[in-house]
Amino acid sequence: MKKLMNSPDAFVDEMLAGLIAAHPSLVQEGRVVRRAGVAKKGKVGIVSGGGSGHLPLFTGYVGDGLLDTCAIGDVFAGPSVDSCIQAIRAADGGAGVLRLYGNYGGDRMNFDLAGEMVEMDGIETTTVRGTDDIASAAPQDNAKRRGVAGIIYAYKIAGAKADTGAGLADVTATAQAAVDACRTIGVALSPCQIPGAAKPTFELGADEIEMGMGIHGEPGIWRDKLRPADEVADEMVRRLLADPVAHKSERVSVLVNSLGATPLEELFIVYRRVAALLKKEGLTIVRPLVGHYVTSMEMAGLSISMIHLDAEREQLLAAPCACPFWRV
Amino acid sequence: MAITTNTLRHAAACAREAAALAQDDLNAADGKIGDGDTGVMLRRLFEAIAAAIPDQETDIGSVFQACAKACASGTGSSLGTLVTVAMMTLAKATKGRSEIGWDELGGLLASVRDQMMARGGAKLGDKTVIDMIDAVTIALDACKTRDEASEAAQHAARETLAAFRDRPNKLGRARMFGERTIGLDDPGMLAFSRLLNAVAA
């Protein structure tokens, strides 16, 4: 697999240097990206983090009304404990910091360790983990589910809530409710490869797809021959609608997300079908998102996320925000 | 002869070399049940550890502390973080000591195992590096010399790798592969075994 890079070991740092050079609203300090300027006094800080290889996730969502800081690791490896500590400290404006990240073992351990360290310095922190991937565990085990593309809704909603001046407990509860109201499923058409690795992360036949595959190539629900887009979309929507959600709503937002190599044209073919299906179900789509929001290097495929909206979530989703990859 | 900081320097150099040599094998093993980067991660981690050990330091706890710091800033993967936890545990347990007897190794490794289980959430039998550390801990219990410890530890690692090969992984990303992990070595176990063989040789 061909990659445009100088060396595998320099991949992440050179990527970050380019991101920062292109976006003066961001500042890089080691493996932490933060908003330019100082942390807003009295505002709850929102910090996230994870492995590289998923841009615009994670560092791409640092900006007004979204994340304050982000710790970033090597490709598909979580951020170091030191980076997590640094990111939490940089996000602290005196009102506490919400750690909002995907539910992966390394990230969990590192953010937990970092939280314990900063709490000794008097910074109050809370945790909300993205657990939206319905293919990764059964509904009764939803705490074990992975966090995938749906986490950006939690970023947006938590970021907007923090901007209202709400306290840490309120921001945390709102973020958790957003996670609880959101479901995602993905489908992969071709693999990705970590820089420096000799082979792709997984193998998938030239005419095969895998339903439910994770953003690092974690196994999904089934693997079979590629089928028409409408058939794939039908199954994904059916699975999303069938998964139990605590507070179902007739108003939802939908994200049709490219995993990297799938072009916008194919995303819109799928969105067209998704919109029709949801309309048929009596659901109204609010602020749909179609594009590259959470990727997996050059993996082909897409994910569909759906978040049920109550009045507050809808209002927070509509609140202004600005980052390199998302503006409202 | 007891374990000193020179023993640790030598071990770190051996581990660095072994991690580099094992990189592709570990990536391949991880690629079957994960994202295929265990080898790259360990190679970078042990390069950082070897480079972090102070030249003149004689306090074993300080050497482990330097290693823990290098790990904490050098990795974010779950296995890498567990190495950090191990180094921190050893640093606390050996602070102020310039020598450790080989008969103390089993007890130290038991503390490492317990701390790693507390942090990572693994249980014995999940088919993770914890199972191997547990087996080596037990094997080291009766050892009083370097030769005894080396032989017992390598034997335990070999036996454990073989014993778990035909069992399924029950934790983390590998858990998702379920029955498909039967017949495969856990990458964390494999990594521990390769590093142990290099250090014990």
Side-chain angles (χ1 to χ4, degrees):
Chain A
M1 198 169 281
K2 291 184 282 191
K3 286 186 194 290
L4 203 53
M5 62 179 178
N6 295 307
S7 86
D9 286 356
F11 189 88
V12 172
D13 293 314
E14 291 184 357
M15 172 277 290
L16 285 175
L19 177 73
I20 299 304
H23 297 286
S25 63
L26 304 179
V27 173
Q28 180 191 358
E29 287 164 350
R31 285 289 182 89
V32 171
V33 170
R34 64 170 176 82
R35 298 192 310 178
V38 294
K40 287 183 188 169
K41 289 290 167 210
K43 185 187 91 70
V44 169
I46 313 286
V47 60
S48 190
S52 293
H54 301 299
L55 274 175
L57 193 73
F58 297 89
T59 48
Y61 294 108
V62 174
D64 292 338
L66 291 155
L67 302 176
D68 293 284
T69 63
C70 184
I72 194 78
D74 287 325
V75 174
F76 292 2
S80 70
V81 178
D82 279 358
S83 296
C84 294
I85 291 170
Q86 196 185 337
I88 295 169
R89 288 198 172 125
D92 179 41
V97 176
L98 167 64
R99 298 170 294 183
L100 178 54
Y101 57 93
N103 189 30
Y104 295 92
D107 299 349
R108 211 166 47 229
M109 270 192 281
N110 292 354
F111 271 112
D112 283 353
L113 277 169
E116 288 175 32
M117 301 290 278
V118 300
E119 276 161 24
M120 287 192 285
D121 295 338
I123 301 175
E124 191 184 355
T125 64
T126 54
T127 296
V128 172
R129 297 186 191 101
T131 53
D132 53 311
D133 186 354
I134 64 169
S136 56
Q140 62 270 25
D141 282 333
N142 61 7
K144 288 184 180 173
R145 285 177 168 175
R146 301 178 294 241
V148 284
I151 199 168
I152 70 159
Y153 281 117
Y155 287 172
K156 176 72 185 77
I157 287 164
K161 184 74 177 180
D163 272 352
T164 67
L168 181 60
D170 267 357
V171 173
T172 304
T174 305
Q176 186 62 60
V179 167
D180 293 343
C182 187
R183 300 286 182 272
T184 298
I185 189 164
V187 65
L189 276 67
S190 75
C192 55
Q193 186 165 330
I194 290 173
K199 288 183 187 169
T201 299
F202 58 93
E203 289 175 6
L204 197 57
D207 59 346
E208 285 183 322
I209 63 170
E210 182 157 333
M211 178 65 66
M213 181 166 261
I215 58 172
H216 310 95
E218 297 95 333
I221 300 163
W222 56 255
R223 178 180 288 209
D224 204 350
K225 300 291 180 198
L226 179 61
R227 50 194 70 178
D230 284 0
E231 271 185 48
V232 175
D234 288 356
E235 177 173 342
M236 295 173 86
V237 169
R238 181 168 48 75
R239 287 183 181 276
L240 287 174
L241 291 173
D243 202 79
V245 180
H247 302 289
K248 281 204 169 182
S249 163
E250 289 178 357
R251 294 175 72 77
V252 297
S253 185
V254 171
L255 162 62
V256 175
N257 168 61
S258 172
L259 291 173
T262 291
L264 282 168
E265 283 84 353
E266 292 172 41
L267 301 184
F268 281 116
I269 288 170
V270 170
Y271 180 75
R272 149 200 150 275
R273 183 70 170 188
V274 171
L277 289 167
L278 294 185
K279 188 176 177 187
K280 205 170 153 188
E281 290 290 327
L283 299 175
T284 301
I285 298 179
V286 179
R287 297 183 172 273
L289 302 168
V290 179
H292 293 66
Y293 285 83
V294 175
T295 64
S296 181
M297 308 294 289
E298 60 279 270
M299 189 192 290
L302 58 83
S303 62
I304 302 174
S305 303
M306 185 170 72
I307 181 167
H308 292 260
L309 300 171
D310 61 7
E312 184 187 37
R313 276 196 290 279
E314 187 167 339
Q315 192 180 8
L316 294 170
L317 203 55
C321 77
C323 73
F325 302 93
W326 194 1
R327 183 179 294 273
V328 174
Chain B
M1 190 187 284
I3 298 167
T4 66
T5 54
N6 280 335
T7 320
L8 301 185
R9 271 185 207 94
H10 178 67
C14 293
R16 175 181 56 193
E17 194 177 330
L21 287 171
Q23 175 172 295
D24 290 344
D25 291 348
L26 295 175
N27 281 345
D30 186 34
K32 291 174 184 164
I33 60 169
D35 55 15
D37 69 342
T38 294
V40 176
M41 185 277 294
L42 274 186
R43 193 253 304 158
R44 287 183 188 157
L45 189 63
F46 280 92
E47 279 173 3
I49 287 172
I53 298 180
D55 281 341
Q56 305 299 326
E57 183 58 69
T58 56
D59 183 327
I60 290 176
S62 298
V63 166
F64 279 124
Q65 193 176 346
C67 294
K69 280 185 181 169
C71 294
S73 61
T75 181
S77 83
S78 48
L79 183 59
T81 301
L82 289 174
V83 177
T84 311
V85 170
M87 295 294 175
M88 283 169 63
T89 306
L90 293 169
K92 284 180 191 167
T94 60
K95 192 172 171 57
R97 302 272 306 271
S98 59
E99 283 190 358
I100 302 171
W102 289 96
D103 57 348
E104 294 179 74
L105 263 189
L108 288 171
L109 204 57
S111 313
V112 167
R113 174 199 60 203
D114 295 345
Q115 283 299 313
M116 286 169 79
M117 286 172 77
R119 283 288 170 190
K123 299 188 293 294
L124 290 176
D126 283 350
K127 193 176 173 180
T128 70
V129 69
I130 298 294
D131 290 301
M132 183 160 280
I133 292 174
D134 181 62
V136 173
T137 298
I138 293 164
L140 287 173
D141 196 39
C143 300
K144 298 195 179 336
T145 66
R146 185 189 191 283
D147 287 349
E148 283 176 10
S150 295
E151 191 180 332
Q154 288 184 86
H155 178 74
R158 205 164 43 240
E159 294 287 309
T160 308
L161 204 57
F164 276 87
R165 192 168 293 135
D166 290 330
R167 296 167 65 170
N169 282 86
K170 294 182 184 170
L171 190 76
R173 194 174 298 166
R175 145 187 87 82
M176 302 285 306
F177 292 80
E179 300 297 304
R180 284 152 62 188
T181 61
I182 291 174
L184 300 176
D185 288 329
D186 173 72
M189 280 189 180
L190 193 59
F192 187 93
S193 153
R194 294 284 289 264
L195 294 174
L196 173 69
N197 289 341
V199 169

